[in-house]
Amino acid sequence: MKHLITKLALQFKKAFQNLSRFYPFIFVSSFIILIFQYSFPSIEAVFYDFRIKYDFGIKQSPETVLVIMDEESDEFLGEKYPYTYSSHLKAMEKIAKDGPAIINYFVSFLPPENIEESTSLSKFKDKINDYKNSGGGFRFATDVDTWGEQLPPSALADTGHSLAIINVDNASFSKDDISRRAVLTISGENSLHLWTANKYREIKKRPPIVNKDIWGAYYLREADALFFLFRYAVNPHDKNSVVKSIPFHRVLVGNFPEGYFKNKIVLVGSAFTSNANDFALTPFSKDEIKVPKLFIHSQIINSLIQEKTVLQVSKTISFLFCLFISIILSIYILKNNPSHGLVITVSVMGVVFLISYFVFCIFGVWIYLTQIILTIFATYYIWVPFRAIEEYQQRFAIEEESKILKQVESLKQNFISLMSHDLKTPVARIAGIVDVLMRFDIQENAKIELKKITDSTKELNKFITSILDLTKIESRNLSLNLVSKDINMVIKSVIDDLHHDASLKDIKIKDDLSPLYPIQIDIVLIKRVISNLVENAIKYSGSGTEIYLKSWDDAQSVYVQIDDTGIGIPEEDIRHIFDKFYRVLNDNTHAIKGSGLGLYLVKYFVELHGATITANSKIGEGTSFLITFKNR
């Protein structure tokens, strides 16, 4: 029973430790759920308005002309807004004569005050009907106040009117009084904007817009109205805007070029600087620089005509997208160090922003960015501490392992050094005893065996020396004893020492040594380098072959080349011959003794002098080594 409890406890501990790796993701998921309880409208408005201001996916088509009634027109006409019906009659005659596609009248008319005004009203109505009968579209725009819809005078009502409400964000979204959405229908009745858009599409023989098919339209029960987010085709503060405006009094006197209103949508309305209700804020003018509402009406109509409205991605999709990004980002941060995690975090943020921008411009889809960016930030700042702790633990484990390995390496080197030193003494004694025995008058067979012992002690002594050198190299205890020396003298010394060994195999050693200036070398090490290369040439060259040693110099370098005409080295082995303990093993070399350290030490000793060594070989033709010293 006790054993079972212990086993279950260990399994629970292991499961708990495995679960701890998922803590950051649990925290991130909880954070995502939390932030989706809030809308962050003020922050999101910044991202939304950026896309509106730099929206390349919509243009102004058709062209629109705004006929503005303002203080200048009051002064010119000597009248007060909304002016007399006779003035509007004259203006209507001038505009209709120029052949516009549609005329929308945003004027709050008063009942006629006298018979003359009644007559002008009647003629004004007749002019409107004549224009409509000729194929043009005409509509009065009405607004809503505390008393209800502000209808035109009864005599004009039957010419057609629709609500044209500028909806501002003072009760929804960012609540900053900026116009971003518009009304499609109220209590089932189409707005002026929808009526105008469909009338223009009818004139252009295009299918009408159906309410339910409008991209992103949504219904609010409280207002009993259908709304949509519209897009601005032009900047209202652009002096070269394709939305033209002209004062009402200029139209009245015909002071405009012929064709100015031809096939255009004309909006007639007021824009008095003294009347705040004539102006509204746009995403282009958050600093209280307002634009005429007539301009905003033109953008709403244009957005509907082109069917360039905005669809907001649902919260469910946004939540899943945030979850997906957090998973991908978590995996990347988990597998990389924190600095790389920061780079990818910023990069992901930039990519998401660009994707949301292009999706908005091309498809009219509004991806809610605030929660996504907060998710990216949270993912990074939650994961990084856990990742840092894990990395610290790994680094600590590596450091501890490194300390142990260093201790083991130190023990190994000490052991090898002690063993090598201790082995040198008995080897020397054996060689000494053999040398003494060789002086006695003994049988020839005994001398042959003693000679074998002598050769073996020499081989063993070379191997011990190589091990000692390797120990010095790895412990960084090897230092140079540089002297100025003619390297030819070292080469000749090596030739003299190895001449006997070469002659035993009927190998000739030839030299071609050019006169050289002395250079700084460690005589002992360089002699060992050249000796090793010549000894290898003797070992691996057959009877009757030749070994060439050549030296020369130039202004920069001194060169020593050792060539042989032996068996050669295979191409796949030549690149490894300077590796530690590497030996070329084949049918020709398996019987030749060696430690695999000779050429490794040769390369190390050469490079310790700041020199280089290279090797070239061809099977059956021989091998060539070239050492290049600096000429100094």
Side-chain angles (χ1 to χ4, degrees):
M1 184 67 179
K2 185 178 179 181
H3 177 72
L4 179 62
I5 293 172
T6 305
K7 187 176 180 181
L8 288 172
L10 289 172
Q11 289 179 348
F12 178 78
K13 182 180 179 182
K14 186 177 180 181
F16 182 80
Q17 288 174 342
N18 292 335
L19 183 64
S20 65
R21 292 178 61 86
F22 295 95
Y23 283 170
F25 184 70
I26 294 171
F27 293 153
V28 171
S29 301
S30 302
F31 180 82
I32 294 172
I33 294 171
L34 178 64
I35 61 175
F36 267 87
Q37 308 308 310
Y38 302 92
S39 298
F40 306 100
S42 298
I43 301 173
E44 187 60 31
V46 175
F47 297 126
Y48 184 86
D49 291 343
F50 175 87
R51 284 170 277 192
I52 286 288
K53 287 190 281 188
Y54 301 100
D55 186 357
F56 62 81
I58 185 172
K59 60 182 179 179
Q60 186 70 33
S61 179
E63 292 185 47
T64 306
V65 178
L66 311 180
V67 178
I68 303 292
M69 301 174 184
D70 56 13
E71 287 84 358
E72 187 180 355
S73 294
D74 279 6
E75 184 178 353
F76 184 89
L77 297 175
E79 300 177 9
K80 290 294 183 181
Y81 177 82
Y83 308 143
T84 62
Y85 284 100
S86 60
S87 295
H88 285 287
L89 173 60
K90 293 176 184 176
M92 185 65 192
E93 288 174 346
K94 301 291 184 183
I95 296 171
K97 184 180 179 181
D98 210 37
I102 297 172
I103 300 173
N104 287 335
Y105 239 84
F106 294 81
V107 178
S108 299
F109 285 103
L110 299 174
E113 296 179 352
N114 50 53
I115 297 174
E116 184 181 351
E117 276 293 274
S118 297
T119 304
S120 296
L121 185 153
S122 179
K123 291 181 179 179
F124 179 54
K125 179 180 178 180
D126 291 341
K127 193 63 189 175
I128 292 172
N129 288 327
D130 289 344
Y131 169 69
K132 290 173 65 176
N133 293 332
S134 66
F138 184 92
R139 205 75 168 173
F140 281 109
T142 60
D143 203 348
V144 177
D145 59 16
T146 54
W147 303 100
E149 185 177 359
Q150 299 175 356
L151 298 174
S154 57
L156 296 174
D158 60 353
T159 58
H161 59 84
S162 299
L163 277 167
I165 301 173
I166 293 292
N167 186 269
V168 296
D169 286 326
N170 54 12
S172 63
F173 191 24
S174 64
K175 300 181 182 180
D176 53 8
D177 294 329
I178 290 177
S179 299
R180 299 184 181 92
R181 68 175 184 169
V183 178
L184 274 173
T185 64
I186 296 179
S187 301
E189 296 294 327
N190 289 347
S191 67
L192 175 80
H193 311 112
L194 184 56
W195 180 90
T196 304
N198 276 330
K199 183 63 179 178
Y200 185 83
R201 291 170 70 89
E202 179 188 333
I203 293 170
K204 295 298 181 180
K205 295 182 171 47
R206 291 162 61 184
I209 304 168
V210 181
N211 294 347
K212 63 183 180 65
D213 294 335
I214 292 176
W215 189 243
Y218 60 96
Y219 177 74
L220 288 180
R221 184 181 297 275
E222 302 82 18
D224 189 23
L226 195 66
F227 294 88
F228 76 102
L229 291 161
F230 67 94
R231 295 161 69 175
Y232 287 82
V234 294
N235 185 338
H237 308 296
D238 184 1
K239 294 180 180 179
N240 299 316
S241 172
V242 293
V243 179
K244 305 298 182 183
S245 63
I246 182 171
F248 180 78
H249 62 273
R250 281 184 55 190
V251 175
L252 194 65
V253 298
N255 185 14
F256 56 88
E258 185 179 350
Y260 189 76
F261 299 104
K262 184 73 173 177
N263 296 325
K264 296 180 175 65
I265 295 176
V266 181
L267 308 184
V268 182
S270 60
F272 288 89
T273 55
S274 57
N275 184 8
N277 289 329
D278 286 346
F279 294 84
L281 290 171
T282 69
F284 301 87
S285 53
K286 291 185 177 183
D287 52 354
E288 300 299 323
I289 302 175
K290 298 184 177 182
V291 299
K293 285 185 177 180
L294 278 182
F295 173 84
I296 297 173
H297 287 300
S298 73
Q299 296 307 290
I300 297 171
I301 294 167
N302 182 70
S303 187
L304 283 172
I305 289 174
Q306 297 185 51
E307 297 183 85
K308 296 283 187 177
T309 54
V310 179
L311 171 68
Q312 181 180 358
V313 173
S314 69
K315 275 198 170 185
T316 302
I317 295 175
S318 295
F319 177 80
L320 294 175
F321 187 57
C322 286
L323 209 59
F324 172 75
I325 289 178
S326 68
I327 292 171
I328 298 300
L329 199 56
S330 297
I331 293 171
Y332 186 89
I333 294 173
L334 186 62
K335 292 185 177 181
N336 295 275
N337 60 48
S339 60
H340 289 168
L342 179 60
V343 172
I344 195 63
T345 299
V346 175
S347 301
V348 168
M349 207 173 299
V351 168
V352 167
F353 184 84
L354 288 175
I355 289 173
S356 70
Y357 171 68
F358 284 107
V359 167
F360 183 89
C361 295
I362 297 171
F363 303 107
V365 175
W366 170 21
I367 299 174
Y368 210 79
L369 273 178
T370 307
Q371 278 119 342
I372 297 175
I373 289 179
L374 288 174
T375 296
I376 294 170
F377 268 118
T379 303
Y380 177 76
Y381 282 107
I382 289 174
W383 268 102
V384 164
F386 284 90
R387 182 69 182 88
I389 291 169
E390 184 178 351
E391 191 171 309
Y392 173 78
Q393 291 174 339
Q394 291 175 352
R395 190 182 298 116
F396 180 77
I398 292 170
E399 288 176 356
E400 289 298 310
E401 185 178 350
S402 178
K403 287 179 183 178
I404 295 171
L405 289 175
K406 285 180 180 178
Q407 291 174 355
V408 171
E409 185 67 20
S410 178
L411 290 171
K412 182 193 77 174
Q413 290 178 355
N414 290 337
F415 173 76
I416 293 173
S417 179
L418 288 171
M419 287 294 295
S420 300
H421 280 293
D422 290 344
L423 283 172
K424 268 186 169 292
T425 302
V427 168
R429 285 177 182 174
I430 293 169
I433 293 169
V434 170
D435 187 54
V436 171
L437 291 174
M438 290 286 285
R439 296 174 186 173
F440 290 100
D441 185 15
I442 57 177
Q443 294 181 1
E444 191 65 29
N445 289 339
K447 286 186 177 181
I448 292 173
E449 296 302 321
L450 289 173
K451 179 68 169 55
K452 289 180 181 179
I453 294 173
T454 301
D455 292 342
S456 295
T457 55
K458 287 180 179 179
E459 289 290 334
L460 183 58
N461 194 54
K462 286 181 180 179
F463 180 73
I464 293 170
T465 302
S466 297
I467 294 295
L468 286 173
D469 287 338
L470 180 63
T471 305
K472 290 179 181 178
I473 289 170
E474 292 182 343
S475 62
R476 302 292 188 270
N477 288 330
L478 189 65
S479 58
L480 293 176
N481 182 23
L482 297 175
V483 295
S484 183
K485 184 73 175 180
D486 181 356
I487 204 167
N488 284 339
M489 302 300 293
V490 178
I491 295 172
K492 289 178 180 179
S493 173
V494 170
I495 293 173
D496 291 341
D497 292 344
L498 297 176
H499 178 75
H500 177 70
D501 291 345
S503 62
L504 292 177
K505 292 187 68 175
D506 192 23
I507 295 174
K508 294 181 180 179
I509 301 178
K510 297 182 179 181
D511 63 83
D512 180 13
L513 308 179
S514 302
L516 302 174
Y517 286 106
I519 58 173
Q520 294 289 318
I521 59 172
D522 185 313
I523 297 173
V524 175
L525 293 184
I526 295 304
K527 185 173 182 180
R528 285 188 59 187
V529 167
I530 298 173
S531 295
N532 186 284
L533 294 174
V534 175
E535 285 175 351
N536 282 349
I538 294 170
K539 281 183 184 179
Y540 295 99
S541 296
S543 178
T545 57
E546 295 179 339
I547 299 172
Y548 300 93
L549 284 88
K550 183 179 180 182
S551 67
W552 72 98
D553 66 354
D554 56 29
Q556 288 78 35
S557 305
V558 172
Y559 305 94
V560 175
Q561 185 169 316
I562 297 98
D563 298 334
D564 66 55
T565 56
I567 58 177
I569 303 172
E571 185 178 351
E572 61 272 16
D573 291 314
I574 196 73
R575 65 175 69 94
H576 299 293
I577 60 173
F578 293 111
D579 294 349
K580 184 164 53 176
F581 297 116
Y582 187 85
R583 295 195 64 210
V584 179
L585 297 177
N586 52 44
D587 293 339
N588 297 322
T589 63
H590 74 278
I592 300 174
K593 297 178 181 180
S595 63
L597 286 173
L599 289 179
Y600 171 76
L601 294 172
V602 163
K603 188 172 188 292
Y604 186 85
F605 294 154
V606 167
E607 291 181 348
L608 202 61
H609 284 75
T612 60
I613 182 169
T614 56
N616 291 291
S617 184
K618 287 186 178 181
I619 296 296
E621 296 183 14
T623 304
S624 174
F625 290 90
L626 176 64
I627 306 171
T628 306
F629 297 92
K630 292 180 180 178
N631 196 352
R632 57 185 182 185

